[in-house]
Each structure stands twice: as structure tokens, then as C-alpha cells.
Amino acid sequence: MMKKRVKFNGQSNGDAIGGPSGATASIGRNVAEQSTSRKTRILIVEDEPAMVAGLRDNFEYEGYEVISAADGAEGLDRALSDNPDLVVLDVMMPRMSGLDVCKQLKSQRPSIPIIMLTARGQEIDKVVGLELGADDYVTKPFSIRELMARVKAVLRRVAPHAPPSEVYRFSDVEVNVRSNEVLRAGAAVDLSAKEFALLAYFVAHPAETLSRDRLLDAVWGYENYPNTRTVDTHIVHLRQKLEPNPEEPRFILTVHGSGYKFVG
């Protein structure tokens, strides 16, 4: 049976959500399925009941399973206990801010993708959220169509795929793709979530020249990231942690005018 579309303030089939009117839209049903038997599970961490109701209606209409939390602390607990496939996380939350939730969740479960929601549009908030490990960022008010498109894009990026090897070795470095662990000379290397994601992408595309835009889209999910120099910064960090001589890299090479190449 087709699910009835929700109304807010006497409106239905609107195109924006999170704005002053609180209107929402339902779009054509494209059932979201994983390769496993259960539905894709979305955790909504949001303290506005109307927003939660609107998002739940639209996500369920698209075929997703929806769970929710009304504050940051509960959201972190549910993310760790209920194993969602993606978290939609508001920045402004009681008990624990969305940025703190993002930081703690990514430190414990870096593989869980996060899309941040916020009413603030300052560039610095986007940068902070993404640097903490968020996979994408949507500013309120937003089109439900845009949010759905971003959710599907993030889920496609993190969908299981066969890496060249579950454990990849180069020099004295060992990269375990499944466990998100990196060892160098047998000792654990402390990488941020984005540093590991960037390294894993390099490992999956050996000897291939990768542009900054491609790396931003694949790792951060932003084709137009606020500052494309963020790739260079993360490359510097990886070289410092993995290269025998970071000043003369042997594995993560700069291809001038094009991007970077991994030759491990």
C-alpha cells in the first residue's frame, strides 16, 4: 500500500523542508535496497518533531527503514547500537552538538556515513563539519529532492565493493581496508577518518592519476568543496605519517597540473 504523504501547515507536495513554512515533499518511489535482505537504515538525529516527521515520511516513502533520536547524546548511542547505514545529523542539538556527535561517532565507527543539517550557512561551519568526518552537508531550508539525491550519492560511494586486497602492503606499511587500520613497521598509525578514506581510495586506484576534484567528490562528497586545498593538506598529513621521507615522497606522488598518484 502506498504511504500517505505528509502535510505541514496545510501544505503538501512542497519543494523545501526546514524553512519557515516547514513544508515537505514526497517524490516518486524508488525502493532503496542493499545487497543484504534488510532495508537500508537511516538514523535521523533532529530535535524538531515536525522535521523528523517530514523526513521519516519521505525516507519511508522511498523504501528506507527510519530510526530517530531527539538529542545528540541519544543520537550517538543509537548510531553505535543500532548500526544505521547512514546518519542525517542536525548541527544544533540539545545535550550534545551535532559536531561533537560527528567527531565521536567517526572516531568509533568511521565507516558510518554522515550528512549534516544546519540552519547556519557560514562557510566555516561546513569546513568544520567536513573536517570532522562528515560525508556531506545540507543547509536549511533545503529541497527534499536535493537531500534524497545526496543520501543516494553517499550510499553509492560507501557501498561495499571489492578492493584490490583486504590487506594492502607497501614498504613497511600495512593497510587493512576492512578494519580501517594502518600499521607501519608493526605499529599502529593514527589516521583521521578522512585520511584513512583518502588512503583507501588511493589503494583502490594504484598508479592512476587522480585530480583534486575527483578526490573531493569521492572522499568528501563535494564537487565544489569550500577550499580545494584541503586535499593538499590531507596529502601532507599522509606523507608525514607514511613516507620514509615526506619531503621526497616515494608512494603518494604529485602529478603537476593534474593531481596525485599512488605508486605503492
Side-chain angles (χ1 to χ4, degrees):
M1 179 179 293
M2 185 171 291
K3 185 176 179 65
K4 183 179 179 181
R5 301 182 183 182
V6 70
K7 289 186 178 182
F8 286 119
N9 298 333
Q11 300 182 32
S12 64
N13 299 328
D15 193 48
I17 188 167
S21 67
T24 189
S26 290
I27 62 180
R29 186 169 190 170
N30 297 308
V31 178
E33 296 179 347
Q34 289 184 298
S35 58
T36 57
S37 58
R38 73 170 177 85
K39 294 181 179 179
T40 300
R41 179 178 298 156
I42 307 293
L43 169 61
I44 301 170
V45 185
E46 167 64 61
D47 63 331
E48 297 181 20
M51 174 72 77
V52 174
L55 292 176
R56 179 185 297 275
D57 179 81
N58 281 278
F59 281 126
E60 290 182 347
Y61 188 76
E62 287 288 303
Y64 297 101
E65 177 186 350
V66 178
I67 56 178
S68 64
D71 62 64
E74 181 190 1
L76 179 60
D77 288 342
R78 296 213 68 176
L80 294 174
S81 63
D82 292 353
N83 195 31
D85 298 290
L86 182 141
V87 178
V88 176
L89 173 63
D90 194 5
V91 169
M92 302 296 292
M93 294 292 295
R95 296 184 64 199
M96 180 185 294
S97 75
L99 294 176
D100 287 336
V101 173
C102 179
K103 181 178 180 179
Q104 292 196 34
L105 180 56
K106 283 296 186 177
S107 69
Q108 298 180 63
R109 300 284 180 82
S111 62
I112 297 180
I114 298 173
I115 295 179
M116 305 289 291
L117 303 179
T118 183
R120 299 176 297 178
Q122 291 91 341
E123 182 176 291
I124 187 61
D125 295 323
K126 297 181 180 180
V127 172
V128 171
L130 292 167
E131 289 288 354
L132 287 175
D135 297 84
D136 208 339
Y137 210 103
V138 179
T139 303
K140 300 177 183 178
F142 55 85
S143 163
I144 192 65
R145 295 177 185 273
E146 177 189 6
L147 178 59
M148 285 294 182
R150 290 179 182 271
V151 165
K152 292 174 183 178
V154 169
L155 289 172
R156 283 196 301 269
R157 286 198 300 272
V158 302
H161 60 281
S165 173
E166 188 172 295
V167 178
Y168 193 97
R169 296 177 178 87
F170 60 98
S171 185
D172 61 349
V173 177
E174 180 178 300
V175 182
N176 191 313
V177 178
R178 180 177 293 275
S179 65
N180 292 344
E181 293 178 331
V182 177
L183 302 178
R184 183 178 180 186
V189 180
D190 184 18
L191 298 184
S192 71
K194 288 304 181 190
E195 288 168 356
F196 182 85
L198 184 60
L199 177 60
Y201 195 78
F202 276 127
V203 166
H205 299 82
E208 185 175 347
T209 298
L210 305 171
S211 69
R212 289 178 178 83
D213 286 342
R214 179 173 171 184
L215 291 170
L216 287 169
D217 186 49
V219 177
W220 282 265
Y222 260 57
E223 294 181 358
N224 298 304
Y225 190 74
N227 183 359
T228 56
R229 297 290 294 178
T230 193
V231 171
D232 301 329
T233 300
H234 282 71
I235 294 293
V236 169
H237 292 165
L238 283 178
R239 285 172 171 168
Q240 290 172 342
K241 296 175 180 181
L242 302 177
E243 294 277 2
N245 182 359
E247 300 301 321
E248 298 180 3
R250 293 168 46 194
F251 308 116
I252 304 175
L253 306 181
T254 300
V255 181
H256 295 288
S258 299
Y260 295 96
K261 179 191 295 185
F262 175 71
V263 293

